[in-house]
Amino acid sequence: MTNLWKLATFILLPLLAARVVGNNTPTVRPDGKYEICSEGIRGYFIPYGASISNLFIQDIHGEERDIVLGFDNATTYSSSRLHPHLNGVPGRYANRIKNGTFEIDGVTYHTDLNDNGGLDTLHGGKNGWDYRNWTVVAHTSDSITFSLADEDGEMGFPGQVVSYVTYTLTPYQWHIRMTAFATTKKTPIMLSSHTYWNLDGFQNPATPLALDHTLHLPYAGFRPDVDNILIPTGDILSNKKYSVNDWWTAPKAIGANFSAAELGGNCGWNCTGYDVSDYLVLLVPSLSSNPIHAIPHMNCYIFNRNHAESLNWDAAPVATLASPWSGIQVDIYTEQEAVQIYTCNNMNGTLPLKSTQGFFTSPDDSSPGRPRTTPKYGCVVIEVEDWIDGINHPEWGRQDRQVFGPGTAPYVLEARYEFSVRGEKR
């Protein structure tokens, strides 16, 4: 098995990529971006972080909107200090690791402490995968594949990991497949797509915010408790019906509960909003046999998707985001068992909009124009992934989904983003 995976990693995939590139010579736009497209959808991608930089969808008004944040030029991503994990692939371990410490087979490892003043590791450390230039190994009219080799010891993680990320567009859909091979040692791997959404392209005349976007997480019945810096404590809570963390009963505007006292501190100390991980959980005995404790709010939701639903993951979405103004709706399907939700609470009006977004004058030409920057609550991030910091909670039973080695199958993430207008398939 080990030799087979190494063969696939180092020989088969590069040969396939070379053949595809040879038949479809990649063309790079003047702004340094790679374009792919299909019916009703087109996107631009860049090697930095294996990131999506633009995604164009036609809305209910017949206008094409660029619905993800980003920069106009590909070179800005590596030079700007405003880069907030912007639409890339965080790794080799997405989200937070408590104390930057974990143990595998009795050996303790220490990773780069780049978050909360050195209290934990976030998105793989200060040189995480979304801060690196990937290699384009395949590019056709509707698909692009990036590769990255992460060496033993980088950011404190053990062993070499070789990863491939493929983005494919089909009519009105964006498909993601991430594969990572641990070639030399056991190591934690958890990836995601850290895409920032504003389904109006900041062109809603009434508001530049995303608080009127509706969100539905139909499996989000539970959540793990977190401390005031969003590190899971290990306890599991219930998302009570009609509470601020109830996204499962029906679609709800993101800003619907922002005046509720219950939401204060919901995304960490002195924070109002959401930075939560919605877990799609197969209720393992170690969790389902424990009572749900009455503990103060945390920032992760556990989804109660059963075994059959998880196996048939592409039959029903785990998340739906929709704009009442543009009519654009995205349904997200994935075999991952968590979805992190972030409502851009930390945006402060310094990240510029792209030339494809917003207004250059006032929406009605009767008053000064809006600032051409991203405001607080101006976007939403939806990260499909596994349970955050699961490597430090063996009672959750996540090791088989988060620890990989030369003798195991590779890490795989699959997701599909299906776009429609007012929910009508085209």
Side-chain angles (χ1 to χ4, degrees):
M1 182 66 73
T2 300
N3 291 333
L4 179 61
W5 288 126
K6 288 184 177 180
L7 182 65
T9 305
F10 298 114
I11 300 179
L12 298 181
L13 287 176
L15 285 178
L16 175 62
R19 189 176 74 171
V20 171
V21 170
N23 292 337
N24 300 271
T25 303
T27 56
V28 184
R29 293 168 43 86
D31 55 15
K33 301 177 181 182
Y34 292 78
E35 181 176 2
I36 62 175
C37 61
S38 185
E39 181 185 355
I41 185 172
R42 63 190 179 97
Y44 302 162
F45 298 83
I46 61 171
Y48 186 79
S51 305
I52 183 170
S53 64
N54 305 72
L55 187 63
F56 299 96
I57 301 290
Q58 191 175 80
D59 73 355
I60 198 169
H61 308 288
E63 298 292 334
E64 191 179 61
R65 309 290 176 186
D66 185 359
I67 58 174
V68 301
L69 274 63
F71 295 115
D72 276 324
N73 196 291
T75 60
T76 309
Y77 288 78
S78 59
S79 61
S80 174
R81 295 183 179 181
L82 300 177
H83 169 27
H85 306 284
L86 197 57
N87 303 352
V89 178
R92 79 176 64 172
Y93 193 87
N95 223 294
R96 293 172 174 86
I97 300 175
K98 183 178 181 179
N99 299 326
T101 302
F102 59 88
E103 182 179 304
I104 296 178
D105 293 340
V107 179
T108 300
Y109 297 93
H110 301 280
T111 51
D112 181 55
L113 296 169
N114 66 320
D115 190 40
N116 288 310
L119 296 179
D120 60 88
T121 300
L122 177 63
H123 294 325
K126 61 179 175 288
N127 193 33
W129 290 10
D130 56 346
Y131 282 87
R132 301 191 212 171
N133 281 303
W134 294 53
T135 299
V136 177
V137 295
H139 179 211
T140 69
S141 63
D142 60 6
S143 183
I144 188 166
T145 297
F146 298 95
S147 71
L148 179 75
D150 192 30
E151 298 302 331
D152 181 17
E154 181 65 33
M155 295 290 99
F157 290 96
Q160 183 197 61
V161 173
V162 177
S163 184
Y164 294 86
V165 173
T166 297
Y167 301 121
T168 302
L169 299 183
T170 60
Y172 305 100
Q173 297 185 3
W174 175 28
H175 303 258
I176 298 176
R177 181 177 176 86
M178 302 181 184
T179 308
F181 301 82
T183 62
T184 59
K185 298 177 183 177
K186 285 186 178 180
T187 187
I189 303 174
M190 186 168 77
L191 307 180
S192 186
S193 174
H194 203 282
T195 303
Y196 288 75
W197 303 93
N198 182 303
L199 299 183
D200 299 332
F202 296 94
Q203 293 169 332
N204 180 349
T207 178
L209 307 183
L211 294 180
D212 65 343
H213 289 24
T214 59
L215 179 65
H216 188 207
L217 308 172
Y219 300 103
F222 303 98
R223 68 191 192 277
D225 183 33
V226 295
D227 61 19
N228 62 8
I229 58 171
L230 303 180
I231 303 296
T233 68
D235 292 304
I236 306 300
L237 307 179
S238 175
N239 294 324
K240 294 181 180 180
K241 198 172 185 179
Y242 308 129
S243 70
V244 299
N245 288 303
D246 172 18
W247 300 101
W248 55 272
T249 57
K252 180 174 64 175
I254 289 172
N257 297 124
F258 268 49
S259 61
E262 183 185 1
L263 196 63
N266 195 63
C267 49
W269 182 82
N270 198 30
C271 177
T272 298
Y274 297 90
D275 191 353
V276 296
S277 181
D278 306 331
Y279 285 176
L280 313 175
V281 61
L282 300 178
L283 292 178
V284 296
S286 61
L287 291 181
S288 57
S289 61
N290 291 336
I292 302 300
H293 303 291
I295 305 173
H297 279 100
M298 42 137 282
N299 288 301
C300 297
Y301 305 135
I302 296 178
F303 287 21
N304 53 342
R305 190 165 62 173
N306 64 38
H307 185 66
E309 290 168 330
S310 291
L311 288 177
N312 196 26
W313 61 268
D314 58 352
V318 299
T320 297
L321 184 70
S323 164
W325 179 77
S326 69
I328 295 174
Q329 175 174 309
V330 55
D331 294 302
I332 302 175
Y333 302 74
T334 185
E335 39 67 76
Q336 293 294 296
E337 298 185 4
V339 179
Q340 182 89 3
I341 306 296
Y342 168 54
T343 51
C344 294
N345 321 309
N346 294 326
M347 289 291 180
N348 60 7
T350 56
L351 182 71
L353 300 183
K354 290 172 290 185
S355 59
T356 52
Q357 297 177 318
F359 298 101
F360 288 90
T361 60
S362 68
D364 57 6
D365 294 323
S366 64
S367 60
R370 289 179 187 160
R372 290 195 47 76
T373 56
T374 305
K376 185 176 184 178
Y377 306 131
C379 47
V380 183
V381 178
I382 304 176
E383 307 166 50
V384 298
E385 59 197 5
D386 200 62
W387 298 25
I388 64 173
D389 200 33
I391 53 173
N392 282 317
H393 291 281
E395 72 275 18
W396 290 351
R398 308 312 301 166
Q399 276 67 21
D400 288 346
R401 297 293 298 262
Q402 298 195 12
V403 178
F404 301 85
T408 72
Y411 168 92
V412 175
L413 179 152
E414 291 188 86
R416 183 175 91 250
Y417 297 74
E418 187 173 293
F419 296 91
S420 60
V421 173
R422 298 275 168 88
E424 296 182 7
K425 310 298 183 184
R426 291 179 284 182

